Amino acid sequence: MDSSKFGFVSPSGGPPFEAHLEKLDEPAKSILLDLRAFVKSLGPNVIEEVRPHRIVYAKTLTFRTFLDIEPAGGDHLIIEIRAGRQEAPVRATVRTQQDADEVKEKIAQAYEKVR
């Protein structure tokens, strides 16, 4: 059985998603899991690529990146949202669930804009 279909192993052969969780304390760990579920719920064409220092989300196989999440310092996440090539990326530091809730709308808008 291919465990990458369930998000446990990075299809690129990079580190597993759980490697980033291990570096985080609460509430950052729970926030990362919540953001991951939210992003994957945006559509069936969301692609997650786990890299050594961050998690990248893209739309379709052409890999149109719209979101980077970097676990940082154990207690927070650094989020970079890209709504397209013409727009400057938006960066946010997420330390609380309220911070995460505030960036979700921007993430959804970026997902919709990326072609």
Side-chain angles (χ1 to χ4, degrees), residues 5 7 11 19-20 29 34 38 40 43 48 50 59-60 62-65 71 73-74 81 84 87-88 90 105 111:
K5 291 180 183 177
H20 289 296
K29 187 180 290 191
D34 176 63
F38 171 76
K40 287 183 166 194
E48 175 184 78
V50 181
K59 189 174 183 179
T60 73
T62 57
F63 212 71
R64 300 284 186 210
T65 302
I81 304 165
E87 296 182 38
V90 174
E105 184 177 340
Y111 170 80

Side-chain angles (χ1 to χ4, degrees), residues 27 31 34-35 75-77 79 81 92-107:
I31 292 168
D34 176 63
L35 284 172
D75 67 342
H76 66 282
L77 307 170
I79 309 262
I81 304 165
T93 300
V94 174
R95 294 183 188 277
T96 66
Q97 187 61 51
Q98 182 178 349
D99 293 342
D101 292 342
E102 289 172 5
V103 298
K104 283 180 180 179
E105 184 177 340
K106 292 176 186 168
I107 293 170

Side-chain angles (χ1 to χ4, degrees), residues 39 42 45-49 51 56-68 80-86 107 110-115:
V39 172
L42 292 173
N45 57 352
V46 172
I47 298 169
E48 175 184 78
E49 183 177 344
R51 297 182 181 176
V56 179
Y57 292 93
K59 189 174 183 179
T60 73
L61 292 176
T62 57
F63 212 71
R64 300 284 186 210
T65 302
F66 64 93
L67 176 66
D68 279 17
E80 187 170 287
I81 304 165
R82 292 184 198 92
R85 294 180 185 179
Q86 305 300 324
I107 293 170
Y111 170 80
E112 290 299 323
K113 284 184 179 181
V114 169
R115 299 280 173 228

